[in-house]
Amino acid sequence: MSTEGMEYYRAKYKTLEDLPGVGPATAAKLRQSGYRTVEALATAAVSELVAAGIGEATAARIIEAARRSMAITFVRGDELVKLRKTVRKLTTGCPSLDRLLGGGIETQTITEFYGEFGTGKSQICQQLCVTVQLPYEKGGLEGGALYIDTENTFRPERIMQIAPRFGLDPDEVLKNIIYAEAYTSNHQMVLLENADEVIKENNIRLIIIDSVTSHFRSEYLGREMLASRQQQLNKHLHKLIRLARAFNAAAVVTNQVMAQPDVFFTRDVRPVGGHILGHMSHTRIYLRKGRGNIRIAKLTVSPNLPEGEALIRITDRGVEGEEDA
Ligand code: GTP
Ligand code: MG
């Protein structure tokens, strides 16, 4: 697999010990706190390293060196354009959905699929695990997928059903999907905090959390826990976005929402993650059921695209656009 498009993200320092000021003891502390790669350090905050037992001045120096090596410190406007050019789009495998998304799912940001149960959120995630492996000219990212599953809904059999449609060998496709089941919200957070090495070693270009909110919702009950729930979720999503930036990967999360039929005139939904998830997900797609296997995808939030809708179908071949269904 190639690493084209990642020039800006390739660290000049290969291991933590290569960074100036990092000896074996500091490296051990960093690793223990989940910072195993230069990429992860480049997107870390000083306070986080201090919490890991590193002195403040050293922490600042380490982060600065990691950032400089990855060219993600101050950049000129023209350089920013170049950096922005490394953003890639991952095909969903549905032409209608790709069109809605202006070409596909962008790397370096979070894309959230939300909707009621059975609307196809997990189906889309599993299909993306296949399409991410396609060559760039076919809309893929020539990389693997990391799938953090909180509801035990990932099915390798489904991947094997979807892969042939994209001309890929099902067994090979499965080899490039790293799967982890998260048992609690805390476990889910720890998995992501420790993911940087796995991401680097396996050339992961797609990080999925399906669903990002279910554990938080079931564990943090009642009004008085709302603030701490949002705080933890916020921290989790920050980590996700940093990983997406550091590895030029697409980050996709799902969020089950319930329709509120009691709201007059509008078919409103209450996003479980509340405002924080709303602000952190740069692109949000609302899924609702249509007739039979049809689903309607609505782009509700995007930094640069107009609102719009696309029809998709869930079939034995995966998720298909209206054209090919
Ligand atoms: P929650 O996780 O419960 O919130 O739902 P979700 O939005 O993740 O729904 P999911 O992606 O699991 O979609 C479920 C839909 O996909 C159901 O309508 C299933 O019938 C359909 N589906 C799942 N697997 C297959 C399959 O192998 N073949 C076909 N034709 N449909 C499938
Ligand atoms: Mg699901």
Short mmCIF file of all heavy atoms in Angstrom, two decimals, residues 113-126 147 151 153 155 157-158 161-162 210-211 217 254-257 287 289 292-293 295 313-319, ligand 1:
data_model
loop_
_atom_site.label_atom_id
_atom_site.label_comp_id
_atom_site.label_asym_id
_atom_site.label_seq_id
_atom_site.Cartn_x
_atom_site.Cartn_y
_atom_site.Cartn_z
N PHE A 113 -22.84 9.91 10.87
CA PHE A 113 -24.11 9.42 10.35
C PHE A 113 -25.04 9.24 11.53
O PHE A 113 -24.71 8.51 12.47
CB PHE A 113 -23.91 8.08 9.62
CG PHE A 113 -23.22 8.23 8.29
CD1 PHE A 113 -21.85 8.08 8.19
CD2 PHE A 113 -23.95 8.52 7.14
CE1 PHE A 113 -21.20 8.23 6.96
CE2 PHE A 113 -23.31 8.67 5.91
CZ PHE A 113 -21.94 8.53 5.82
N TYR A 114 -26.19 9.91 11.53
CA TYR A 114 -27.12 9.76 12.64
C TYR A 114 -28.51 9.45 12.11
O TYR A 114 -28.87 9.81 10.99
CB TYR A 114 -27.09 10.98 13.56
CG TYR A 114 -27.61 12.29 13.01
CD1 TYR A 114 -28.83 12.80 13.45
CD2 TYR A 114 -26.89 13.02 12.08
CE1 TYR A 114 -29.32 14.02 12.97
CE2 TYR A 114 -27.37 14.23 11.59
CZ TYR A 114 -28.58 14.72 12.04
OH TYR A 114 -29.06 15.93 11.56
N GLY A 115 -29.26 8.75 12.93
CA GLY A 115 -30.60 8.37 12.52
C GLY A 115 -31.13 7.29 13.46
O GLY A 115 -30.42 6.82 14.35
N GLU A 116 -32.39 6.90 13.23
CA GLU A 116 -33.01 5.89 14.08
C GLU A 116 -32.40 4.51 13.81
O GLU A 116 -31.65 4.34 12.85
CB GLU A 116 -34.51 5.85 13.80
CG GLU A 116 -35.27 7.06 14.32
CD GLU A 116 -36.74 6.98 13.94
OE1 GLU A 116 -37.43 6.06 14.41
OE2 GLU A 116 -37.19 7.84 13.18
N PHE A 117 -32.80 3.53 14.60
CA PHE A 117 -32.31 2.16 14.42
C PHE A 117 -32.68 1.65 13.02
O PHE A 117 -33.72 2.05 12.48
CB PHE A 117 -32.90 1.23 15.49
CG PHE A 117 -34.36 0.93 15.27
CD1 PHE A 117 -34.75 -0.18 14.55
CD2 PHE A 117 -35.34 1.77 15.77
CE1 PHE A 117 -36.10 -0.46 14.32
CE2 PHE A 117 -36.68 1.52 15.54
CZ PHE A 117 -37.06 0.40 14.81
N GLY A 118 -31.79 0.85 12.47
CA GLY A 118 -32.10 0.23 11.19
C GLY A 118 -32.05 1.15 9.98
O GLY A 118 -32.53 0.79 8.91
N THR A 119 -31.47 2.34 10.15
CA THR A 119 -31.45 3.26 9.02
C THR A 119 -30.21 3.07 8.12
O THR A 119 -30.06 3.74 7.12
CB THR A 119 -31.53 4.73 9.48
OG1 THR A 119 -30.61 4.94 10.55
CG2 THR A 119 -32.93 5.08 9.95
N GLY A 120 -29.32 2.15 8.54
CA GLY A 120 -28.18 1.83 7.67
C GLY A 120 -26.85 2.41 8.09
O GLY A 120 -25.86 2.33 7.36
N LYS A 121 -26.78 2.93 9.31
CA LYS A 121 -25.54 3.54 9.78
C LYS A 121 -24.40 2.51 9.79
O LYS A 121 -23.32 2.76 9.26
CB LYS A 121 -25.74 4.12 11.19
CG LYS A 121 -26.83 5.17 11.27
CD LYS A 121 -27.00 5.74 12.68
CE LYS A 121 -27.52 4.78 13.72
NZ LYS A 121 -28.91 4.33 13.51
N SER A 122 -24.67 1.35 10.40
CA SER A 122 -23.62 0.32 10.48
C SER A 122 -23.34 -0.29 9.11
O SER A 122 -22.20 -0.69 8.83
CB SER A 122 -24.04 -0.79 11.46
OG SER A 122 -24.22 -0.24 12.74
N GLN A 123 -24.34 -0.35 8.27
CA GLN A 123 -24.13 -0.88 6.92
C GLN A 123 -23.17 0.01 6.14
O GLN A 123 -22.27 -0.47 5.45
CB GLN A 123 -25.47 -0.99 6.19
CG GLN A 123 -26.42 -2.01 6.78
CD GLN A 123 -25.84 -3.41 6.72
OE1 GLN A 123 -25.33 -3.84 5.70
NE2 GLN A 123 -25.91 -4.12 7.83
N ILE A 124 -23.36 1.31 6.25
CA ILE A 124 -22.47 2.26 5.56
C ILE A 124 -21.05 2.11 6.10
O ILE A 124 -20.08 2.07 5.34
CB ILE A 124 -23.00 3.71 5.72
CG1 ILE A 124 -24.30 3.87 4.91
CG2 ILE A 124 -21.95 4.73 5.28
CD1 ILE A 124 -25.02 5.19 5.12
N CYS A 125 -20.92 2.00 7.41
CA CYS A 125 -19.59 1.86 8.03
C CYS A 125 -18.87 0.63 7.49
O CYS A 125 -17.68 0.67 7.17
CB CYS A 125 -19.71 1.73 9.54
SG CYS A 125 -20.19 3.26 10.34
N GLN A 126 -19.59 -0.47 7.39
CA GLN A 126 -18.95 -1.71 6.92
C GLN A 126 -18.55 -1.58 5.45
O GLN A 126 -17.50 -2.06 5.04
CB GLN A 126 -19.88 -2.90 7.17
CG GLN A 126 -19.97 -3.19 8.66
CD GLN A 126 -20.99 -4.26 9.02
OE1 GLN A 126 -20.71 -5.43 8.98
NE2 GLN A 126 -22.18 -3.83 9.37
N TYR A 147 -11.98 -0.39 13.17
CA TYR A 147 -13.41 -0.39 13.49
C TYR A 147 -13.60 -0.57 14.98
O TYR A 147 -13.33 -1.64 15.52
CB TYR A 147 -14.09 -1.53 12.74
CG TYR A 147 -15.58 -1.36 12.51
CD1 TYR A 147 -16.07 -1.13 11.23
CD2 TYR A 147 -16.50 -1.44 13.55
CE1 TYR A 147 -17.43 -0.98 10.99
CE2 TYR A 147 -17.86 -1.29 13.32
CZ TYR A 147 -18.31 -1.06 12.05
OH TYR A 147 -19.66 -0.91 11.81
N GLU A 151 -21.52 -2.01 19.77
CA GLU A 151 -22.79 -2.73 19.85
C GLU A 151 -22.71 -4.13 19.26
O GLU A 151 -23.73 -4.78 19.06
CB GLU A 151 -23.88 -1.91 19.16
CG GLU A 151 -24.13 -0.59 19.88
CD GLU A 151 -25.09 0.34 19.15
OE1 GLU A 151 -24.92 0.49 17.93
OE2 GLU A 151 -25.98 0.87 19.81
N THR A 153 -22.05 -5.17 16.25
CA THR A 153 -22.84 -5.33 15.03
C THR A 153 -21.99 -5.53 13.78
O THR A 153 -22.53 -5.74 12.70
CB THR A 153 -23.81 -4.14 14.80
OG1 THR A 153 -23.07 -2.93 14.91
CG2 THR A 153 -24.93 -4.15 15.82
N ARG A 155 -20.03 -7.43 11.10
CA ARG A 155 -20.10 -8.80 10.62
C ARG A 155 -19.11 -9.04 9.49
O ARG A 155 -19.28 -8.50 8.40
CB ARG A 155 -21.51 -9.12 10.11
CG ARG A 155 -22.59 -9.14 11.16
CD ARG A 155 -22.52 -10.40 12.03
NE ARG A 155 -23.42 -10.31 13.17
CZ ARG A 155 -23.10 -9.79 14.36
NH1 ARG A 155 -21.89 -9.31 14.56
NH2 ARG A 155 -23.98 -9.76 15.34
N GLU A 157 -18.91 -11.51 7.65
CA GLU A 157 -19.65 -12.10 6.53
C GLU A 157 -20.20 -11.01 5.61
O GLU A 157 -20.28 -11.19 4.39
CB GLU A 157 -20.83 -12.95 7.03
CG GLU A 157 -20.46 -14.13 7.92
CD GLU A 157 -20.15 -13.73 9.36
OE1 GLU A 157 -20.53 -12.61 9.79
OE2 GLU A 157 -19.51 -14.54 10.07
N ARG A 158 -20.59 -9.90 6.22
CA ARG A 158 -21.14 -8.79 5.44
C ARG A 158 -20.04 -8.17 4.58
O ARG A 158 -20.25 -7.82 3.43
CB ARG A 158 -21.73 -7.75 6.41
CG ARG A 158 -22.54 -6.66 5.76
CD ARG A 158 -23.72 -7.20 4.98
NE ARG A 158 -24.61 -6.10 4.55
CZ ARG A 158 -25.28 -6.11 3.41
NH1 ARG A 158 -25.18 -7.14 2.58
NH2 ARG A 158 -26.07 -5.10 3.09
N GLN A 161 -19.48 -10.22 1.63
CA GLN A 161 -20.55 -10.03 0.64
C GLN A 161 -20.31 -8.76 -0.20
O GLN A 161 -20.61 -8.72 -1.39
CB GLN A 161 -21.88 -9.82 1.38
CG GLN A 161 -22.84 -10.97 1.35
CD GLN A 161 -24.11 -10.61 2.13
OE1 GLN A 161 -24.07 -9.92 3.16
NE2 GLN A 161 -25.23 -11.08 1.64
N ILE A 162 -19.79 -7.74 0.47
CA ILE A 162 -19.63 -6.42 -0.18
C ILE A 162 -18.38 -6.35 -1.07
O ILE A 162 -18.41 -5.76 -2.14
CB ILE A 162 -19.60 -5.29 0.89
CG1 ILE A 162 -20.92 -5.25 1.67
CG2 ILE A 162 -19.32 -3.94 0.26
CD1 ILE A 162 -20.91 -4.33 2.89
N ASP A 210 -18.60 2.97 15.92
CA ASP A 210 -20.01 2.62 15.68
C ASP A 210 -20.55 1.90 16.92
O ASP A 210 -20.21 0.76 17.15
CB ASP A 210 -20.09 1.72 14.44
CG ASP A 210 -21.52 1.30 14.13
OD1 ASP A 210 -22.45 2.00 14.53
OD2 ASP A 210 -21.69 0.26 13.46
N SER A 211 -21.35 2.51 17.74
CA SER A 211 -21.76 3.91 17.73
C SER A 211 -20.91 4.68 18.74
O SER A 211 -20.49 4.12 19.75
CB SER A 211 -23.23 3.96 18.11
OG SER A 211 -23.48 4.61 19.31
N ARG A 217 -24.47 7.15 26.50
CA ARG A 217 -25.89 7.33 26.77
C ARG A 217 -26.37 6.39 27.88
O ARG A 217 -27.12 6.77 28.75
CB ARG A 217 -26.69 7.09 25.50
CG ARG A 217 -28.17 7.29 25.67
CD ARG A 217 -28.88 7.14 24.33
NE ARG A 217 -28.45 5.93 23.64
CZ ARG A 217 -28.56 5.74 22.33
NH1 ARG A 217 -29.05 6.67 21.58
NH2 ARG A 217 -28.17 4.62 21.80
N THR A 254 -21.06 7.00 14.25
CA THR A 254 -22.51 6.88 14.13
C THR A 254 -23.14 7.28 15.45
O THR A 254 -22.51 7.23 16.51
CB THR A 254 -22.96 5.45 13.79
OG1 THR A 254 -22.72 4.60 14.91
CG2 THR A 254 -22.24 4.91 12.57
N ASN A 255 -24.38 7.66 15.39
CA ASN A 255 -25.09 8.19 16.54
C ASN A 255 -26.57 7.89 16.35
O ASN A 255 -27.19 8.39 15.41
CB ASN A 255 -24.80 9.70 16.60
CG ASN A 255 -25.48 10.41 17.74
OD1 ASN A 255 -25.90 9.78 18.72
ND2 ASN A 255 -25.59 11.71 17.63
N GLN A 256 -27.10 7.04 17.23
CA GLN A 256 -28.53 6.73 17.09
C GLN A 256 -29.37 7.84 17.72
O GLN A 256 -29.09 8.28 18.83
CB GLN A 256 -28.87 5.40 17.77
CG GLN A 256 -30.21 4.86 17.31
CD GLN A 256 -30.73 3.77 18.21
OE1 GLN A 256 -31.13 4.01 19.34
NE2 GLN A 256 -30.73 2.55 17.71
N VAL A 257 -30.33 8.31 17.00
CA VAL A 257 -31.20 9.36 17.53
C VAL A 257 -32.64 8.88 17.45
O VAL A 257 -32.97 7.99 16.67
CB VAL A 257 -31.07 10.69 16.75
CG1 VAL A 257 -29.68 11.25 16.88
CG2 VAL A 257 -31.44 10.51 15.30
N LEU A 287 -29.96 10.01 8.46
CA LEU A 287 -30.55 8.92 7.68
C LEU A 287 -31.96 8.64 8.16
O LEU A 287 -32.21 8.59 9.37
CB LEU A 287 -29.70 7.65 7.85
CG LEU A 287 -28.29 7.69 7.27
CD1 LEU A 287 -27.50 6.48 7.76
CD2 LEU A 287 -28.31 7.71 5.75
N LYS A 289 -35.73 6.24 7.15
CA LYS A 289 -36.23 5.13 6.35
C LYS A 289 -37.19 5.59 5.28
O LYS A 289 -38.03 6.47 5.52
CB LYS A 289 -36.93 4.11 7.26
CG LYS A 289 -35.97 3.36 8.15
CD LYS A 289 -36.72 2.43 9.11
CE LYS A 289 -35.76 1.95 10.19
NZ LYS A 289 -36.44 1.32 11.32
N GLY A 292 -39.47 0.10 1.98
CA GLY A 292 -38.68 -1.12 1.86
C GLY A 292 -37.23 -0.89 2.27
O GLY A 292 -36.95 -0.44 3.38
N ASN A 293 -36.32 -1.20 1.34
CA ASN A 293 -34.89 -1.09 1.67
C ASN A 293 -34.32 0.28 1.32
O ASN A 293 -33.11 0.48 1.35
CB ASN A 293 -34.10 -2.20 0.97
CG ASN A 293 -34.19 -2.10 -0.55
OD1 ASN A 293 -34.88 -1.25 -1.10
ND2 ASN A 293 -33.46 -2.98 -1.22
N ARG A 295 -33.35 4.14 1.85
CA ARG A 295 -33.04 5.07 2.94
C ARG A 295 -32.77 6.43 2.32
O ARG A 295 -32.19 6.52 1.25
CB ARG A 295 -31.78 4.60 3.71
CG ARG A 295 -31.90 3.22 4.34
CD ARG A 295 -32.89 3.20 5.51
NE ARG A 295 -32.94 1.90 6.16
CZ ARG A 295 -33.77 0.92 5.82
NH1 ARG A 295 -34.64 1.09 4.82
NH2 ARG A 295 -33.77 -0.23 6.47
N ARG A 313 -30.01 2.41 -1.11
CA ARG A 313 -30.73 1.17 -0.84
C ARG A 313 -29.80 0.19 -0.14
O ARG A 313 -28.63 0.09 -0.51
CB ARG A 313 -31.10 0.48 -2.16
CG ARG A 313 -32.38 0.93 -2.78
CD ARG A 313 -32.43 0.30 -4.16
NE ARG A 313 -33.12 1.18 -5.08
CZ ARG A 313 -34.42 1.10 -5.33
NH1 ARG A 313 -35.13 0.17 -4.75
NH2 ARG A 313 -34.97 1.93 -6.17
N ILE A 314 -30.33 -0.53 0.82
CA ILE A 314 -29.53 -1.58 1.47
C ILE A 314 -29.90 -2.89 0.79
O ILE A 314 -31.07 -3.31 0.83
CB ILE A 314 -29.82 -1.64 2.98
CG1 ILE A 314 -29.62 -0.26 3.62
CG2 ILE A 314 -28.89 -2.66 3.64
CD1 ILE A 314 -30.03 -0.19 5.08
N THR A 315 -28.94 -3.49 0.13
CA THR A 315 -29.19 -4.73 -0.61
C THR A 315 -28.19 -5.80 -0.18
O THR A 315 -27.32 -5.55 0.66
CB THR A 315 -29.03 -4.51 -2.13
OG1 THR A 315 -27.64 -4.38 -2.42
CG2 THR A 315 -29.76 -3.26 -2.60
N ASP A 316 -28.29 -6.96 -0.79
CA ASP A 316 -27.34 -8.03 -0.50
C ASP A 316 -25.92 -7.65 -0.91
O ASP A 316 -24.95 -8.24 -0.45
CB ASP A 316 -27.75 -9.32 -1.22
CG ASP A 316 -28.97 -9.95 -0.55
OD1 ASP A 316 -29.27 -9.58 0.61
OD2 ASP A 316 -29.62 -10.80 -1.18
N ARG A 317 -25.81 -6.66 -1.81
CA ARG A 317 -24.50 -6.23 -2.28
C ARG A 317 -23.92 -5.11 -1.42
O ARG A 317 -22.85 -4.58 -1.70
CB ARG A 317 -24.60 -5.75 -3.73
CG ARG A 317 -24.78 -6.89 -4.75
CD ARG A 317 -25.51 -6.42 -6.01
NE ARG A 317 -25.03 -5.17 -6.57
CZ ARG A 317 -24.08 -5.08 -7.50
NH1 ARG A 317 -23.47 -6.16 -7.95
NH2 ARG A 317 -23.72 -3.91 -7.97
N GLY A 318 -24.64 -4.73 -0.39
CA GLY A 318 -24.17 -3.65 0.47
C GLY A 318 -25.10 -2.47 0.39
O GLY A 318 -26.32 -2.63 0.34
N VAL A 319 -24.51 -1.26 0.36
CA VAL A 319 -25.32 -0.05 0.25
C VAL A 319 -25.12 0.49 -1.16
O VAL A 319 -23.98 0.72 -1.58
CB VAL A 319 -24.89 1.01 1.30
CG1 VAL A 319 -25.82 2.20 1.25
CG2 VAL A 319 -24.89 0.40 2.70
P1 GTP B 1 -28.81 0.84 14.87
O1 GTP B 1 -27.39 0.45 15.04
O2 GTP B 1 -29.75 -0.09 15.53
O3 GTP B 1 -29.07 2.26 15.29
O4 GTP B 1 -29.17 0.76 13.31
P2 GTP B 1 -28.26 1.08 12.03
O5 GTP B 1 -28.65 2.41 11.52
O6 GTP B 1 -26.84 0.82 12.30
O7 GTP B 1 -28.83 0.01 11.01
P3 GTP B 1 -27.99 -1.04 10.15
O8 GTP B 1 -26.91 -0.37 9.42
O9 GTP B 1 -27.66 -2.19 11.00
O10 GTP B 1 -29.06 -1.44 9.06
C1 GTP B 1 -29.92 -2.44 9.25
C2 GTP B 1 -30.65 -2.64 7.94
O11 GTP B 1 -29.77 -3.26 7.00
C3 GTP B 1 -31.82 -3.56 8.13
O12 GTP B 1 -32.90 -3.00 7.39
C4 GTP B 1 -31.35 -4.86 7.52
O13 GTP B 1 -32.39 -5.55 6.92
C5 GTP B 1 -30.36 -4.40 6.46
N1 GTP B 1 -29.34 -5.44 6.25
C6 GTP B 1 -28.38 -5.81 7.08
N2 GTP B 1 -27.65 -6.83 6.58
C7 GTP B 1 -28.18 -7.09 5.37
C8 GTP B 1 -27.88 -8.04 4.33
O14 GTP B 1 -26.97 -8.85 4.46
N3 GTP B 1 -28.64 -8.02 3.21
C9 GTP B 1 -29.65 -7.11 3.05
N4 GTP B 1 -30.35 -7.13 1.92
N5 GTP B 1 -29.97 -6.20 4.00
C10 GTP B 1 -29.24 -6.19 5.14
#
